[in-house]
């Protein structure tokens, strides 16, 4: 028995995921066919008092095989006809045809259903494989053009696969990313200058007004644009799979309040909330336990309906930021208007750079802790 080399394993994992997606799609196709055959049998029993006999397996395989190969996607048809129970499936299909069913109409629809299942399974497997590298990029690189370029690149899946291969060979991928950051950033600046781009990016007004407890501890790019939901999530390095998971968690935490949960997730500030959850997951904090406070403390319900969305954002921010076990209190979420400046300095990022840059002056306002409480004077 031979052992796969490190560079072969990612390819093997991809092949296994693709094969699993096809097999799952075949299961879905068989389910639809079984349902169709059950309907045929039921109708014949109702109308004639008995079911028609099935054609022979040999007749069915010979007659139906070419139709399945012609009407289903190639990978699905090959997998379906390779199943041990293919003769029985062929008998069911031929029985449907003899009962008056037009397989030229039905099989392409079955193929669409199965292909959709296949693609969903494949996308989920790919998302799980790349999520760890989204987190690695988020934790290693600062918010800014380099990180955004990586995560929005059409070549991102190949980049993630390369990172996996390097790690399997013992390479510290985070160190590679950190070391490359400044060089790549210089390329970005040179290209931008050559294209006549503005010297300083501009942060959207919504992002500026969100400065305060909602953004404390988060790396925000200077051109964060909350008006563009998809781009904002990418800028904050929240993957689509993570965003779907966080929206599901919010709905589960607010049973009976589906409308309010949807309102929260439709708000402009939702990407910041999702980024907070991503950071908490990285830190090993129980995100769902924090979210459960939204159902226990319903103080966000009190007030004008027009301001409900704002109160929900404040409530979820407070629920996520309060330490576990801390009793609910009056919302402490406020807007730090003094810090809301689009030209605020961004934090240099690599973990090595963060360790070296200890000067307070180099810290962006949204990364600073809140002001210390004033001490009372004593006589």
């Amino acid at each position: 028995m031979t052992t796969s080399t490190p560079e072969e394993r990612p390819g093997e994992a991809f092949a296994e995921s693709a094969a699993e997606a096809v097999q799952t799609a075949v299961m879905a196709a068989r389910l639809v066919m079984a349902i169709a055959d059950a309907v045929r049998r039921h109708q014949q029993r109702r109308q004639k008092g008995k079911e028609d006999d099935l054609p022979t397996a040999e007749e069915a395989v010979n007659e139906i095989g070419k139709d399945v190969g012609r009407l289903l996607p190639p990978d699905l048809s090959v997998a379906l006809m390779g199943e041990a129970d293919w003769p029985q499936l062929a008998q069911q299909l031929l029985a449907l045809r003899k009962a008056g069913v037009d397989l030229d109409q039905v099989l392409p629809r079955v193929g669409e259903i199965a292909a959709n299942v296949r693609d969903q399974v494949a996308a989920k497997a790919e998302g799980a494989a790349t999520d760890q590298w989204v987190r690695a990029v988020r934790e290693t690189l600062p918010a800014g053009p380099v990180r955004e370029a990586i995560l929005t690149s059409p070549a991102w899946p190949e980049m993630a696969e390369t990172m996996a291969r390097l790690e399997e060979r013992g390479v510290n991928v985070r160190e590679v990313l950190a070391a490359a950051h400044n060089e790549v950033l210089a390329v970005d600046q040179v290209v931008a200058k050559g294209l006549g781009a503005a010297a300083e990016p501009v942060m959207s007004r919504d992002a500026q007004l969100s400065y305060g407890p909602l953004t404390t501890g988060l790396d925000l790019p200077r051109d964060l644009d909350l008006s563009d939901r998809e781009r904002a999530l990418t800028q904050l390095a929240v993957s689509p799979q993570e965003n779907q998971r966080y929206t599901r968690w919010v709905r589960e935490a607010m049973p009976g309040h589906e409308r309010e949960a949807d309102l929260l997730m439709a708000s402009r500030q939702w990407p910041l909330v999702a980024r907070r959850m991503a950071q908490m997951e990285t830190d090993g904090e129980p995100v769902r336990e924090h979210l459960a406070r939204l159902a226990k403390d319903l103080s966000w319900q009190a007030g004008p309906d027009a301001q409900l969305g704002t109160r929900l954002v404040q409530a979820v921010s407070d629920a996520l930021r309060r330490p576990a076990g801390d009793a609910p209190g009056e919302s402490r979420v406020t807007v730090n208007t003094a810090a809301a400046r689009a030209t605020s300095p961004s934090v240099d990022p690599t973990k090595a750079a963060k360790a070296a840059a200890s000067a307070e002056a180099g810290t962006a306002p949204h990364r600073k802790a809140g002001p210390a409480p004033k001490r009372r004077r004593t006589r």
Side-chain angles (χ1 to χ4, degrees):
M1 180 177 178
T2 59
T3 302
S4 301
T5 61
E7 59 269 22
E8 290 172 341
R9 289 175 195 145
E12 289 178 358
F14 177 81
E16 290 174 2
S17 298
E20 180 183 355
V22 170
Q23 286 303 315
T24 306
V26 167
M27 289 173 59
R30 291 167 65 185
L31 173 62
V32 175
M33 293 176 189
I35 293 172
D37 186 61
V39 170
R40 174 191 66 81
R41 293 171 182 269
H42 178 70
Q43 189 61 245
Q44 288 176 344
R45 285 196 303 270
R46 286 183 59 191
Q47 300 299 325
K48 303 195 307 184
K50 67 173 185 175
E51 303 170 9
D52 290 346
D53 293 333
L54 290 174
T56 65
E58 182 179 0
E59 176 191 3
V61 168
N62 291 334
E63 185 169 339
I64 294 297
K66 58 181 180 295
D67 293 321
V68 169
R70 175 173 58 89
L71 298 171
L72 291 183
D75 56 342
L76 299 182
S77 64
V78 170
L80 185 66
M81 290 188 287
E83 293 286 300
D85 63 348
W86 162 239
Q88 290 77 29
L89 292 173
Q91 286 177 291
Q92 293 174 359
L93 289 172
L94 184 54
L96 286 170
R97 171 176 285 168
K98 290 185 175 183
V101 176
D102 186 354
L103 294 185
D104 279 36
Q105 295 292 325
V106 172
L107 282 179
R109 293 172 189 165
V110 173
E112 289 176 7
I113 295 171
N116 185 47
V117 170
R118 177 198 61 201
D119 294 344
Q120 287 183 41
V121 174
K124 183 177 180 180
E126 180 181 338
T130 60
D131 257 3
Q132 65 167 314
W133 297 112
V134 172
R135 288 194 294 273
V137 171
R138 175 172 67 221
E139 294 165 9
T140 307
L141 302 183
V146 174
R147 190 171 78 182
E148 184 179 355
I150 292 173
L151 298 178
T152 58
S153 171
W156 164 244
E158 289 78 10
M159 292 184 197
E161 183 178 338
T162 300
M163 292 178 194
R165 288 180 175 177
L166 289 171
E167 184 182 58
E168 288 175 347
R169 293 187 176 191
V171 176
N172 187 326
V173 176
R174 294 170 187 257
E175 285 187 2
V176 174
L177 291 172
H181 176 265
N182 288 339
E183 296 301 323
V184 178
L185 184 60
V187 171
D188 174 78
Q189 293 169 345
V190 169
V191 174
K193 184 177 180 180
L195 295 173
E200 291 291 336
V202 179
M203 181 173 285
S204 73
R205 181 66 174 165
D206 286 332
Q208 294 179 46
L209 293 177
S210 298
Y211 270 67
L214 187 62
T215 63
T216 299
L218 304 182
D219 282 330
L220 303 186
R222 287 180 291 180
D223 60 345
L224 178 63
D225 184 4
L226 294 181
S227 65
D228 186 335
R229 169 66 59 89
E230 184 175 349
R231 187 189 174 204
L233 288 168
T234 300
Q235 287 181 297
L236 296 170
V238 176
S239 71
Q241 292 76 25
E242 287 175 321
N243 187 53
Q244 291 173 6
R245 183 163 67 250
Y246 302 148
T247 57
R248 185 180 72 252
W249 287 357
V250 168
R251 290 193 176 97
E252 292 172 353
M254 301 176 68
H257 298 285
E258 289 77 12
R259 183 183 72 87
E260 290 83 353
D262 289 342
L263 187 61
L264 167 62
M265 292 178 292
S267 70
R268 288 281 182 96
Q269 287 74 30
W270 170 254
L272 295 172
V273 175
R275 180 65 183 85
R276 175 75 62 193
M277 294 188 208
Q279 184 63 54
M280 293 175 70
E281 273 201 296
T282 296
D283 296 340
E285 297 185 42
V287 179
R288 301 174 85 171
E289 290 182 19
H290 284 261
L291 288 174
R293 293 168 169 166
L294 294 173
K296 296 176 182 177
D297 177 12
L298 300 178
S299 58
W300 48 265
Q301 290 182 323
D305 286 346
Q307 298 174 6
L308 178 57
T310 300
R311 293 197 304 274
L312 283 165
V313 171
Q314 293 175 344
V316 72
S317 175
D318 185 53
L320 292 172
R321 294 177 64 248
R322 276 192 288 113
D326 189 20
E330 184 179 354
S331 176
R332 297 182 287 275
V333 179
T334 57
V335 175
N336 185 347
T337 54
R341 301 191 299 270
T343 56
S344 64
S346 124
V347 179
D348 266 335
T350 62
K351 294 193 173 178
K354 286 178 179 175
S358 59
E360 180 68 11
T363 304
H366 55 273
R367 292 181 59 83
K368 293 181 181 177
K374 295 181 180 179
R375 296 182 179 177
R376 292 180 296 175
R377 293 183 179 179
T378 57
R379 295 184 182 274

